[in-house]
Amino acid sequence: MTDITPVATTELTDAEADAVAMGDYKYGWSNDDSASNYAFKSERGLSEQTVRDISAHKNEPQWMLDERLKAYQYFLDRPMPEWGADLSGIDFDNIYYYIKPTESQAKSWEDLPDDIKDTWDRLGIPEAERKFLAGVGAQYESEVVYHKLREDLEEQGVLFLDMDSGLREHPEIVREYFGKIIPHNDNKFSALNTAVWSGGSFIYVPKGVHVEMPLQAYFRINAENMGQFERTLIIVDEGASIHYVEGCTAPTYTTDSLHSAVVEIIVKKGGRCRYTTIQNWSDNVYNLVTKRAEAYENAIMEWVDGNLGSKTTMKYPAIKLMGRGAHGEVLSIAFAGKGQHQDAGAKITHMAPDTSSVITSKSISKDGGRSSYRGLLAVKPGATNSKSQVICDALIIDPQSQTDTFPYIRIDEDDVEIGHEATVTRVNEEQLFYLRSRGLTEEQANAMIVSGFVEPITKELPLEYAIEMNKLIQLQMEGSVG
Amino acid sequence: MADLVIKNLHVAVEGKEILRGIDLTVREGEIHALMGPNGSGKSTLSYALMGHPKYEITEGSVTFDGQDLLELEVDERARLGLFLAFQYPQAVPGVSVTNFLRMAVNAHRGVLSSDTRNDDPDAPKPIKIPEFRKLLEAAMDLLKVDRDLIRRYLNDGFSGGEKKRVEILQMAMLNPHVAILDETDSGLDIDALKIVAEGVNTLVTERGMGALVITHYQRLLNHITPEFVHILVDGKIVADGGPDLAKQLEADGYEKVLEGFGVELPARHGGDANKKPKTAGVAVGASA
């Protein structure tokens, strides 16, 4: 008999069960965020001086300060994007742009202040590290407070640092790649990130090294009106491979926070990178992220993107297929509940011959939530024999909820094979009746239909994350009823 | 006593009356066959008893296990021990038969949310995986279910026969007090028919399950012997009898048998009614 794969029946931890009982977001607790509790907390709002202060605080080289200032100017000049989700609620003057929680980074969980350590314990990160991770970075507010890589990987030359340490210890690599995949003037929010970035991951995997277990970074916002702007750079050298996973949560506040990350990835010839996100921000967080990867000859780049939380998300992980035979894949799940707008999708550009790509997007809308798929598929001249398949499936749980699809396709080459399928499904009364006739409540039946709907994506996740994803979906389905 | 007691049941669909006063009692350990031409209302009765929202009860009462069944939600009826083996089971893509069964078994144990951590020691607990596997293995052995089938997504791309077997597998796992089998014989070859019949017989004799077997044809009844046979025509039970009645139908056809009861088939069953209802797979009259 086969092993029983985890679907919505997994037992919950105490903290999760508490959340179910309360019918709310399970990560909603917060620690004291008054300034005295932090090593450093900037004033609210953004000015050139804030940008200079952040850079000075970090003892950065001049070129990085110059980069930040250029980006700041561009951020000021560029209008707010009007083409996607409603961002009019963001009050840039009310946000804290830099909060340093501790004086120094810990190598052991025990060295962290109690409330911060407790946070990670409640999120299960130390336990996950013991069980199945090759390395962990844990960012709290603006800084990575804990960081560790397994020694054998260190010995093989794998670099896994927070971005600030990366800049200090490997300035030549950072300077070569920083802002090259996503320039500061790519968009208003990549400019904002470049101006005030702090934390994030810096990863280099040397030629031919396979990191078999995932590296994980966990991003936690604790303070009210926090702006978190981590910056991640991943370089996978020729024939190397890595799986990087990020998770994100925040307390529930009545006023908004902002998370605006930039992630740049280079996968060299024959390399492979999978980047998995389980984003579960509280429903007061604007999540505006720019992610882009370049895949060279015969390289494989995969984004697995789970968007469950946040008030508003705008995120379109991108892949440029730069070399012959490169393959790109984006698998995404978006779950829009009450008051949420998930505007997510993918961008893939075929720049070379014999390249292939697959975009699979699954969205669920419930309790008046809205999920939008926004995607771009481009094939440049000369990218002959390119193949691409785009599949967008939307599931709508109730009549108040909404979904829309904006697929853009630009093909400048004749010799290509492109497929596009889109479906919108409403939960069907006969299916519900059937499941309920087996004793499942209406909520359980709905949750089961949803977990089945996203199964093509959850089955791609490592077991632990598949369980987590299913639990989160179950919580979403059981929460906020009526 | 988990008896199903139906009294003067009238059911309408979209304002049109389909059942016009059904009286029927199924007790524990009894097998009843409900037969009748297509369009007589057999499936309507099964859906109405299970609580499909499209079927409106306009008159009458149904009690089950002493409770007013009609007051209960669909899932409450199921957890009370009523089971319907569907004529056309729904597919649920992405959910394996195994996981579905585990969730259904847990729901029957009273686990109705993912809040499985409960300080109350008497609170329902989900079934332990080894125990679940043991139950499932036993049920699969009884019904000779292919091991591959339970790893597949529920009814997704299943053949007619596979669907019916999985319906009966669910029945064996959920252990109902009364099961309604709605045209379970359709889509089954003779070997599968025997296995399914054996499964039903085992549940009836060993666990005291009551069964209401709805069928158009005699052939299932060659392997499941009903104590009671009822003939439904145009929304009413027009004839009751023992196992011989089914055999008589097989031999002589509805029209002739009903004549003996002083009942005429309504005109819309017309020419069809003269045919002997034994050729499986041939549609007779209006659709059910």
Side-chain angles (χ1 to χ4, degrees), chain A residues 51-71:
Chain A
V51 175
R52 288 181 180 278
D53 287 348
I54 292 171
S55 186
H57 208 90
K58 293 173 178 291
N59 282 320
E60 286 178 349
Q62 184 64 37
W63 72 265
M64 185 55 84
L65 175 60
D66 294 344
E67 188 75 13
R68 285 180 184 274
L69 291 171
K70 244 186 339 192

Side-chain angles (χ1 to χ4, degrees), chain A residues 434 436 438-439 455 474, chain B residues 75 79 84 114 153 167 170:
Chain A
Y434 182 63
R436 292 183 70 195
R438 300 310 185 232
E455 201 270 353
Q474 197 176 359
Chain B
D75 48 299
R79 295 196 298 274
L84 170 59
S114 48
Y153 297 151
E167 290 295 288
Q170 294 175 40

Side-chain angles (χ1 to χ4, degrees), chain A residues 1-2 4-5 7 9 12 14 18 430-431 433-440 444 448 452 455 474 478, chain B residues 52 73 75 78-79 84 86 91 93-94 99 102-103 107-108 111-112 114 117 133 151 153 155 167 170:
Chain A
M1 191 172 126
T2 179
I4 294 164
T5 49
V7 176
T9 49
L12 300 187
D14 289 3
D18 280 341
E430 299 304 324
Q431 239 179 354
F433 176 66
Y434 182 63
L435 294 178
R436 292 183 70 195
S437 80
R438 300 310 185 232
L440 306 186
Q444 286 178 312
M448 179 170 274
E455 201 270 353
Q474 197 176 359
E478 289 185 10
Chain B
H52 193 293
E73 293 289 332
D75 48 299
R79 295 196 298 274
L84 170 59
F86 281 68
N99 278 322
R102 190 149 60 103
M103 189 106 173
H108 274 73
V111 180
L112 300 180
S114 48
R117 182 227 50 152
R133 287 190 184 191
R151 293 176 204 159
Y153 297 151
N155 296 324
E167 290 295 288
Q170 294 175 40

Side-chain angles (χ1 to χ4, degrees), chain A residues 136-153:
Chain A
V136 171
Q139 177 157 351
Y140 192 87
E141 320 293 25
S142 301
E143 295 287 355
V144 176
V145 294
Y146 171 87
H147 218 282
K148 194 144 188 200
L149 176 66
R150 249 177 34 198
E151 277 175 16
D152 57 317
L153 291 169

Side-chain angles (χ1 to χ4, degrees), chain B residues 224-247:
Chain B
I224 299 177
T225 309
E227 290 165 77
F228 308 95
V229 175
H230 316 276
I231 300 176
L232 185 70
V233 175
D234 217 15
K236 281 183 108 115
I237 290 176
V238 294
D240 299 286
D244 291 347
L245 182 55
K247 294 212 169 74

